[in-house]
Amino acid sequence: MINAIDMTNASGDFARVRRIVKTDEFSSVFRLRPVQRTAHFVLYARPTALEHARLGVVAAKRFAPRAATRNAIKRVTREVFRQSTLINVDCIVRLSKPVNSKAGPATTAQLKRELRVEILRLFASQKIPVEPAS
């Protein structure tokens, strides 16, 4: 028996309910226009009736030829997603331009920092607006 998960808590987890996993779910979000673009990424978002945000990450081999690079992109994206307070939205982050070549190292601390900054900018457009204190 599966235990019920409190979906309203912002515990920073990345449980299966917070992931976009099915092809038709990806397709329904991809049909929409991109919400935000950065130098290397595109964010697609679709409002949802769920009580939480969900994330899907697409890192194509042609833009990141090494598996270590693709995995680093996914890890950084998931980390930023877990730490963000997003509205009830399905988000897909797609790598749209090459991040490095086969000639250089697969990942570096500088590359991860740059990716993190770009992904933070993407999610900033989807955050819950904060009410000013009176």
Side-chain angles (χ1 to χ4, degrees):
M1 180 166 184
I2 299 173
N3 294 334
I5 297 173
D6 181 14
M7 293 188 214
T8 58
N9 101 1
S11 65
D13 66 346
F14 194 59
R16 188 166 178 90
V17 296
R18 298 194 185 276
R19 299 180 212 159
I20 299 174
V21 290
K22 295 182 181 174
T23 303
D24 60 331
E25 294 171 342
F26 271 94
S27 297
S28 67
V29 179
F30 273 135
R31 275 188 231 125
L32 304 172
R33 290 192 143 172
V35 174
Q36 181 84 357
R37 291 180 187 271
T38 62
H40 295 99
F41 297 98
V42 177
L43 174 70
Y44 296 86
R46 176 182 65 123
T48 183
L50 299 174
E51 297 177 7
H52 53 85
R54 295 190 307 169
L55 175 69
V57 183
V58 179
K61 191 184 274 191
R62 68 180 173 156
F63 296 132
R66 294 185 177 171
T69 307
R70 293 191 303 276
N71 291 337
I73 290 167
K74 292 174 188 177
R75 277 194 308 274
V76 169
T77 305
R78 287 189 301 257
E79 176 189 346
V80 172
F81 176 79
R82 282 191 299 264
Q83 295 171 354
S84 298
T85 38
L86 299 176
I87 56 176
N88 302 345
V89 65
D90 284 349
C91 296
I92 295 179
V93 175
R94 181 175 62 88
L95 184 62
S96 62
K97 297 216 170 94
V99 291
N100 63 4
S101 65
K102 286 184 181 178
T107 60
T108 61
Q110 179 183 356
L111 175 66
K112 289 179 184 177
R113 279 192 303 272
E114 291 169 2
L115 295 174
R116 184 175 174 77
V117 168
E118 284 190 48
I119 293 167
L120 280 168
R121 259 194 304 160
L122 286 177
F123 286 138
S125 67
Q126 300 302 308
K127 284 197 178 185
I128 299 172
V130 178
E131 297 280 330
S134 330

